[in-house]
Amino acid sequence: MHPDLTERILQHLETADKVDTLDLAGLFSEDHQKIVGALKSIQAHGELVTAETATHKSLGLTDEGRAVVEHGSHEALVYAAVPPEGIAQAALMAAGGPNAKVGFSKAMSHGWILVDKSVSPPLVRRKVDTITDAVREQLQQVAKGKGGQLPAKEVADFKKRKLLQETTTKSFVLARGPEFATTLTKLETDLTVEMLASGLWDQLKFKSYNFDALGAPPTRGHLHPLLKVRTEFRQIFLEMGFSEMPTNNYVESSFWNFDALYQPQQHPARDAHDTFFVNNPARSHKFPQDYLERVKKVHSQGGYGSKGYGYDWKLEEAQKNLLRTHTTAVSARMLYKLANQEGGFKPAKYFSIDKVFRNETLDATHLAEFHQVEGVIADVGLTLGDLIGTLYEFFRKLGITQLEFKPAYNPYTEPSMEIFCYHPGLGKWIEVGNSGVFRPEMLLPMGLPENVNVIAWGLSLERPTMIKYGINNIRDLVGPKVDLKMVEEGPICRLDHA
Ligand code: FB9
């Protein structure tokens, strides 16, 4: 069996006092890197050899240099392109190869060609019948590894002409070490009871501990990026004094998801194209009756200064169960509770982060479900200014300072605003959510005091997470095709740190 490289090196050093790993590579016609690899494993077995680093400057041909060796120097190619009857300079440039310009000036300086200006256009003619392409010959020497014999002036000129380049190679000069041996004894990696019991441990050679080795990463749970960003949003809301709303009911009644939000029963979002209706249980029946009557009235006849929608509001429509299309349904339940709690209304700040479902066309950024993030503030005399101020504070904590607001429409808020931010990482303005002041037709039937206003805003969890983790297709973030590596290696994100 052909001794492996380590043994061949050790056997060579048995006789040779010093050897350079580059020479060993030549000797064993092995790649130099393999020699260095073998040296590393010899060194792992102890001080069998010593290794001094050495650097070697060597002359090497550049790609252009290799082309000259292959096809001849630029000036030789130009000379070859000059026919006996002469040639117009422009034509020569075209025929003389990619480096005709350099070649022409060199051929002129060598006195190989001349420009006959006695004719027009002037013609380039040969001045000598034959030439010697010394450049090519000298570079061929280099190619044969005899670059060392080239006169320094030529070397400097060839370097300037980017035909030659100096390469520095690192190598090691090896010599026999204090623990030199011609064979590598197997290094033990474990100290076993048997070794201790037999006392054998004393004769054995153990692999030295590599204290820099990274231990096996402890197997542990990993938060999905979405949950890391959720944690970030939760932290922001809690810092701003908000408390979380209970969102543990994906199935909701049309009453709380739409009617309570003053969204009319013929609103397009209420048909099966946008909403997942539930067949079993298809209907809810338990509603605060008096409140339901007030909702019916404000939809059908108006009230509280509003003329309402003036349509025939149907209880059975409100009873239909569905998968909630927004967590604003939960906000409606919480605001109703706030209005009817012991001791009456008290100012409140609520937030929710949970799944909502929309029967929308699926594309790279939309699935039939996403996580809605919502903030709600109910207090006396709140204004649109309070909403804008709150949004600046909220997004500042997300590392976003430049906001713009665009008037929008929601059935349950008036005025309403789409929120846009300049995202420094993306270098562009992006839509980051929607917001508004809940309508009196929504709040007053709940029993909230006249002077109480409620401001709210909403966004998704998926969009900021995709932007944070640089994910363009939502299916790389959630679902069966997620690469768990992304989950395991995803850094603890700080949205406000780009
Ligand atoms: O999240 C959204 N964009 C976004 C948010 C944050 C973000 O952070 C980056 C670190 C900087 C980046 C992007 N959007 C809302 C905007 C768009 O993505 C939009 O195309 C998609 N929207 C979803 C709805 O799609 C149908 C995001 C989702 C959304 C929209 C509106 C609300 C909630 C979620 C709302 C509301 C609302 C309004 C008034 C009162 C109460 C709630």
Side-chain angles (χ1 to χ4, degrees), residues 358 360 374 400 423 431-432 434-435 456 458-460 463-464 467:
R358 298 193 181 174
E360 278 168 342
E374 177 151 318
I400 294 169
H423 190 281
E431 184 192 350
V432 288
N434 190 306
S435 65
L459 58 155
S460 75
R463 290 301 296 138
I467 291 171

Side-chain angles (χ1 to χ4, degrees), residues 255-476:
F255 178 79
W256 287 109
N257 195 83
F258 291 125
D259 297 278
L261 296 173
Y262 195 55
Q263 190 150 353
Q265 293 188 336
Q266 67 283 19
H267 186 285
R270 292 186 70 158
D271 66 27
H273 292 101
D274 285 348
T275 299
F276 295 107
F277 287 95
V278 173
N279 296 339
N280 179 15
R283 296 182 179 290
S284 293
H285 302 284
K286 240 171 28 51
F287 303 105
Q289 216 37 50
D290 56 347
Y291 168 47
L292 180 139
E293 287 312 319
R294 291 196 296 274
V295 169
K296 173 177 179 167
K297 184 169 170 309
V298 76
H299 277 246
S300 50
Q301 301 150 27
Y304 319 103
S306 165
K307 61 182 181 53
Y309 293 120
Y311 70 90
D312 168 22
W313 186 87
K314 293 191 178 35
L315 174 59
E316 50 287 344
E317 187 58 37
Q319 291 173 328
K320 287 182 179 170
N321 284 333
L322 44 78
L323 296 183
R324 64 175 175 224
T325 61
H326 46 199
T327 56
T328 318
V330 179
S331 306
R333 284 174 174 276
M334 292 302 286
L335 290 169
Y336 175 75
K337 274 213 184 83
L338 196 59
N340 301 280
Q341 66 186 0
E342 287 318 299
F345 168 80
K346 288 211 182 20
K349 294 197 276 190
Y350 297 135
F351 79 92
S352 63
I353 306 175
D354 209 331
K355 274 195 181 165
V356 298
F357 307 85
R358 298 193 181 174
N359 187 0
E360 278 168 342
T361 47
L362 308 185
D363 63 23
T365 57
H366 283 87
L367 285 174
E369 60 186 75
F370 69 90
H371 292 77
Q372 177 168 345
V373 178
E374 177 151 318
V376 177
I377 306 176
D379 202 346
V380 174
L382 284 179
T383 67
L384 188 66
D386 294 309
L387 174 57
I388 292 173
T390 304
L391 290 172
Y392 269 105
E393 182 54 16
F394 178 77
F395 282 99
R396 187 184 63 72
K397 290 176 177 286
L398 278 173
I400 294 169
T401 52
Q402 289 176 269
L403 292 181
E404 288 218 352
F405 302 98
K406 180 174 157 221
Y409 171 79
N410 298 310
Y412 36 86
T413 50
E414 189 55 47
S416 306
M417 310 184 297
E418 273 174 359
I419 312 160
F420 290 80
C421 87
Y422 181 76
H423 190 281
L426 301 172
K428 63 177 181 174
W429 285 87
I430 56 171
E431 184 192 350
V432 288
N434 190 306
S435 65
V437 180
F438 282 132
R439 299 180 69 116
E441 293 94 333
M442 168 185 164
L443 303 180
L444 297 177
M446 291 175 171
L448 283 166
E450 290 258 342
N451 61 357
V452 166
N453 270 341
V454 181
I455 56 178
W457 72 96
L459 58 155
S460 75
L461 195 58
E462 282 73 7
R463 290 301 296 138
T465 307
M466 289 170 74
I467 291 171
K468 178 69 205 172
Y469 287 81
I471 295 168
N472 308 325
N473 186 318
I474 189 129
R475 286 163 189 71
D476 298 331

Side-chain angles (χ1 to χ4, degrees), residues 79-87 123-129:
Y79 177 83
V82 179
E85 69 280 7
I87 180 172
L123 285 182
V124 180
R125 299 186 191 288
R126 289 185 177 187
K127 212 167 162 194
V128 293
D129 300 340

Side-chain angles (χ1 to χ4, degrees), residues 125-144:
R125 299 186 191 288
R126 289 185 177 187
K127 212 167 162 194
V128 293
D129 300 340
T130 62
I131 61 159
T132 309
D133 189 351
V135 172
R136 185 183 195 177
E137 285 159 11
Q138 288 166 324
L139 290 180
Q140 279 166 338
Q141 291 312 307
V142 174
K144 291 200 195 77

